[in-house]
Amino acid sequence: MAPPSTAIKGGPTTARGRRTRSALVTAAREVFEDVGFRDARISEIATRAGTSYGVFYNYFTGKDAIFDEVFTGVMGEMFSASQAPTGVGDPVEKIRASNRRYLTVAARNARLIAVLEELALRDPQFRDLKLRMREPFLRRIEAGIRRFQEQGIADAHLDPRMAASLLGGMIEHFSMLWFIHDADFDEDVAVDTLTRLWAHALGLQEQAGDDRDVPVPATG
Amino acid sequence: MHSSPTTARGRTTRALLISAAREVFEADGFHDARISDIAERAGTSYGLFYTYFSSKEEILDEVLTEAMADFVPASLAAAGVSDPQERIAIGIRRYLDAARRHARLFGTLEELALRDPKFRELKFRIRAPYVQRIEDGTRRLQDRGLADQDLDARTVATMLTGMIEHFTLQWFVYGIEADEDLAVATLTRLWVQAIRLQPPSG
């Protein structure tokens, strides 16, 4: 076993080590957002984190490794922030709340997502990263559709995996148009339309008629 | 913008340049594409390129406009088909066929648009007529009482075309596996149900 001091990818064991590592991840994120991946320089990341080029390599094997780490963090944040709220019983309201939450957190992270998108279009390694990041979202939507189907409230003829991929793609694509390409949309109309399209598409039966005013759930 | 060539020979050269540019963009991407390669592949010269186009951007615009023409049948009602659901299914199948043919090219545009606002504008302009036709079609269905009138037709068109656009990118550019029949069936069902399409009365 290698001693901890030479274990490159093991987590740092001291508080100071953890602080440095986390400063590097934060700095890397900023640099990637500013200049993209290819033009990002490790020396710039290290300087911005208040440390040195050499120290960077105590924590990460390279730019790929820290990019992966930045992304895993962002996706984790997006995944939990877009979770449907507990305590909301009506399936349509659940969808509405999680659509709104997804758009909120996607707006915050749009710049970085665009960096990955751009890389993924050209490079298989980043495409795999992108698909890996997407997978938990798809699985969550798929599980939700399956549950609705089992409860007999959603269209049983839909293939849950394919429907999840398509409906997930719809919101993903829309958020890129909105936040990266600066298309002009009204948030309430966007959330409402997304929610209706999802609910109708899945054949969800709304509990008290379609046109009642629904309270908008509080979001962060 | 240069004016269109007036002679048959000029039109031929221009068309050859466009199709050569398409091949070069697909092979090398936009940034690495060289005008000399485009000219050579079209059997003409570097200097002559500039008789027809002022820049690489301008010919890209032309290449994309031509490719988008291939999507027109996907957004027009299929001749002789009156059932709206059947029309949507045919439109989706046609879209997928066109998207398959042009996947590389639109992958390149997507990449450019993610980086550069100038290409973002191009991307919007190129897809706008398609989205507009979907919006008009949705509105017609709403006017006839065949689709949910509470939906905002513009936003619906953006979102539903986004669903299919996103899927084709996944399928044809990222190479994820998908069964075509299942894809068409699911896209159609989601689309039809999303707008609450009613069967025509009578």
Side-chain angles (χ1 to χ4, degrees):
Chain A
M1 286 294 274
S5 59
T6 60
I8 289 174
K9 287 170 88 181
T13 50
T14 66
R16 185 156 161 239
R18 282 192 295 274
R19 268 201 309 278
T20 305
R21 192 173 192 286
S22 132
L24 282 166
V25 173
T26 306
R29 181 192 167 128
E30 291 169 14
V31 173
F32 291 138
E33 285 183 333
D34 286 353
V35 301
F37 179 77
R38 282 179 227 288
D39 295 333
R41 289 164 47 188
I42 286 174
S43 56
E44 168 70 17
I45 296 172
T47 306
R48 216 182 271 221
T51 178
S52 71
Y53 186 82
V55 166
F56 176 94
Y57 286 99
N58 289 343
Y59 297 97
F60 298 98
T61 52
K63 207 158 73 165
D64 286 15
I66 201 166
F67 187 76
D68 200 307
E69 172 98 8
V70 166
F71 239 89
T72 307
V74 165
M75 286 295 147
E77 183 206 339
M78 287 185 65
F79 187 76
S80 44
S82 58
Q83 195 108 38
T86 51
V88 176
D90 179 23
V92 178
E93 288 321 300
K94 267 198 157 111
I95 291 174
R96 184 185 304 275
S98 71
N99 280 344
R100 194 181 283 276
R101 290 175 172 193
Y102 180 90
L103 291 176
T104 305
V105 72
R108 238 187 351 257
N109 295 293
R111 197 53 247 144
L112 196 64
I113 296 170
V115 171
L116 178 59
E117 287 281 337
E118 193 197 328
L119 294 167
L121 281 164
R122 176 156 309 199
D123 186 331
Q125 178 200 339
F126 290 105
R127 187 196 58 208
D128 292 347
L129 174 63
K130 184 198 141 95
L131 295 178
R132 181 155 55 79
M133 294 296 162
R134 235 181 140 236
E135 189 55 28
F137 291 87
L138 290 191
R139 269 212 291 267
R140 184 169 69 190
I141 300 171
E142 182 186 344
I145 294 173
R146 236 180 254 285
R147 234 175 0 254
F148 290 152
Q149 288 176 324
E150 281 159 12
Q151 291 165 12
I153 56 174
D155 180 1
H157 293 99
L158 286 170
D159 178 81
R161 172 77 192 173
M162 180 62 86
S165 171
L166 293 171
L167 293 175
M170 176 164 76
I171 187 166
E172 202 182 322
H173 185 275
F174 178 74
S175 64
M176 292 301 283
L177 277 186
W178 196 10
F179 305 129
I180 293 296
H181 298 313
D182 297 321
D184 191 23
F185 289 103
D186 176 85
E187 178 173 350
D188 288 331
V189 174
V191 171
D192 190 63
T193 308
L194 267 175
T195 304
R196 283 173 193 260
L197 292 177
W198 272 57
H200 299 167
L202 293 175
L204 281 177
Q205 305 303 316
E206 277 154 294
Q207 288 171 353
D210 197 31
D211 292 318
R212 77 215 149 103
D213 284 326
V214 280
V216 173
T219 52
Chain B
M1 202 66 167
H2 290 209
S3 55
S4 303
T6 51
T7 66
R9 188 157 159 235
R11 282 192 296 275
T12 306
T13 306
R14 190 172 187 281
L16 285 173
L17 281 167
I18 294 172
S19 81
R22 185 197 160 109
E23 290 169 19
V24 174
F25 292 145
E26 287 186 334
D28 301 340
F30 180 76
H31 289 296
D32 295 334
R34 290 164 45 184
I35 286 176
S36 56
D37 285 344
I38 296 172
E40 193 181 324
R41 209 180 275 230
T44 180
S45 69
Y46 187 81
L48 260 183
F49 176 93
Y50 287 99
T51 309
Y52 298 97
F53 300 99
S54 58
S55 63
K56 207 161 71 165
E57 279 81 0
E58 191 180 316
I59 201 167
L60 173 68
D61 199 317
E62 208 52 51
V63 167
L64 289 165
T65 305
E66 217 176 82
M68 260 335 266
D70 230 15
F71 287 82
V72 171
S75 58
L76 295 178
V81 179
S82 59
D83 176 26
Q85 172 156 350
E86 187 58 26
R87 284 181 171 189
I88 289 173
I90 293 171
I92 285 171
R93 214 175 262 285
R94 286 176 175 175
Y95 185 99
L96 295 182
D97 288 342
R100 184 186 283 114
R101 281 196 295 278
H102 301 295
R104 264 319 267 287
L105 191 61
F106 283 98
T108 302
L109 174 61
E110 193 63 32
E111 208 183 324
L112 293 168
L114 283 165
R115 179 181 300 210
D116 186 334
K118 181 176 60 184
F119 292 108
R120 206 167 289 165
E121 190 271 329
L122 173 63
K123 177 187 154 155
F124 270 86
R125 189 155 43 76
I126 287 292
R127 61 197 286 284
Y130 177 79
V131 180
Q132 184 66 52
R133 286 191 298 272
I134 300 296
E135 178 185 341
D136 295 344
T138 305
R139 197 163 278 136
R140 274 194 301 276
L141 291 170
Q142 289 176 319
D143 290 345
R144 291 164 61 199
L146 298 178
D148 185 349
Q149 292 167 342
D150 292 332
L151 289 169
D152 177 69
R154 174 100 201 135
T155 313
V156 165
T158 302
M159 288 174 176
L160 291 180
T161 57
M163 171 169 76
I164 185 167
E165 196 182 321
H166 185 276
F167 175 70
T168 53
L169 198 68
Q170 302 286 312
W171 195 13
F172 302 131
V173 179
Y174 295 143
I176 61 156
E177 282 180 32
D179 175 85
E180 174 155 7
D181 289 332
L182 179 64
V184 172
T186 311
L187 276 165
T188 305
R189 199 170 178 94
L190 292 176
W191 191 306
V192 161
Q193 293 186 161
I195 61 170
R196 297 195 151 174
L197 186 69
Q198 306 294 315
S201 56

